[in-house]
Amino acid sequence: KNMTWIYNKSLLLVVVALLTLTGCSISYRFNGGTIDYTQIKSIAISDVTNRAAIVYPRFAASFTEALKDMYTSRTRLAQRRGEADLELECTITGYDLSTASVGQDNFADRTKFTVTMQVKYTNRVNPKESFDRSFTAYRDFRRDQQFNAVQDQLLAEITEDLTKQIFNATVENW
């Protein structure tokens, strides 16, 4: 009698679990979000220009490549030169250092490194989704670190942040 009750209870749990699993489905897409590939097939990403007061020569080129890699790895859009269904033009407008916090000795304890990117996004298929706006990312570093020693690592982190922001604003429509 005990075994029958345990068997029936186990069978009931399995049936409920199967009904629950077949009745629900959750779907996540990390392949270009809201892109309608029947209408939008290509993207043109212009070389990033640097108009900031401080120019770090390698940054514009590395940011351009990171942005192209983001769209290549997460969408099926063909990359084009010139006119395309989607177009991105990015300009570095800020490359700044400022005091993030002050220590007890009245010297900067942490320094904030900020990069600002102006992005002109043109959607030729859905012009209402086009925009021209600014994106910003920053990282802090300690005063015992020289900026030149941490600059490349901070730029890698900022680049990852900015490319995600731009990607989300364009094809994810966030």
Side-chain angles (χ1 to χ4, degrees):
K1 185 177 179 181
N2 241 356
M3 292 302 282
T4 304
W5 181 81
I6 292 172
Y7 175 76
N8 287 340
K9 189 174 180 179
S10 298
L11 184 60
L12 180 62
L13 286 172
V14 169
V15 169
V16 169
L18 286 173
L19 288 174
T20 302
L21 291 174
T22 58
C24 301
S25 70
I26 298 172
S27 174
Y28 294 100
R29 293 184 342 182
F30 296 105
N31 60 354
T34 60
I35 297 174
D36 179 357
Y37 288 102
T38 61
Q39 295 182 351
I40 299 173
K41 299 185 184 316
S42 61
I43 186 167
I45 301 173
S46 301
D47 290 341
V48 173
T49 56
N50 196 337
R51 296 224 164 77
I54 299 171
V55 175
Y56 186 57
R58 298 184 305 217
F59 181 52
S62 67
F63 192 87
T64 301
E65 290 310 308
L67 201 54
K68 287 179 179 181
D69 289 347
M70 174 72 76
Y71 285 87
T72 298
S73 66
R74 295 189 180 196
T75 71
R76 297 183 311 220
L77 297 172
Q79 294 211 11
R80 305 251 189 274
R81 287 248 176 232
E83 194 170 310
D85 298 326
L86 306 178
E87 296 176 4
L88 272 176
E89 297 174 43
C90 301
T91 304
I92 303 163
T93 57
Y95 196 93
D96 305 304
L97 295 169
S98 60
T99 300
S101 65
V102 177
Q104 292 179 353
D105 56 2
N106 290 329
F107 287 103
D109 200 32
R110 297 191 66 78
T111 301
K112 182 178 181 180
F113 173 44
T114 306
V115 175
T116 306
M117 189 77 61
Q118 187 67 31
V119 177
K120 182 179 179 193
Y121 170 66
T122 305
N123 185 326
R124 294 192 182 283
V125 176
N126 301 310
K128 289 180 182 177
E129 294 180 4
S130 298
F131 62 79
D132 189 347
R133 73 177 201 228
S134 185
F135 293 86
T136 301
Y138 69 90
R139 293 294 183 272
D140 293 350
F141 61 97
R142 299 183 320 267
R143 82 162 137 185
D144 64 343
Q145 298 173 303
Q146 292 292 319
F147 179 62
N148 291 341
V150 297
Q151 182 174 1
D152 288 333
Q153 176 59 40
L154 296 173
L155 275 175
E157 294 171 17
I158 287 172
T159 296
E160 183 178 344
D161 189 356
L162 284 171
T163 55
K164 285 178 183 177
Q165 287 182 50
I166 294 166
F167 183 84
N168 289 340
T170 55
V171 298
E172 295 287 347
N173 292 329
W174 286 6

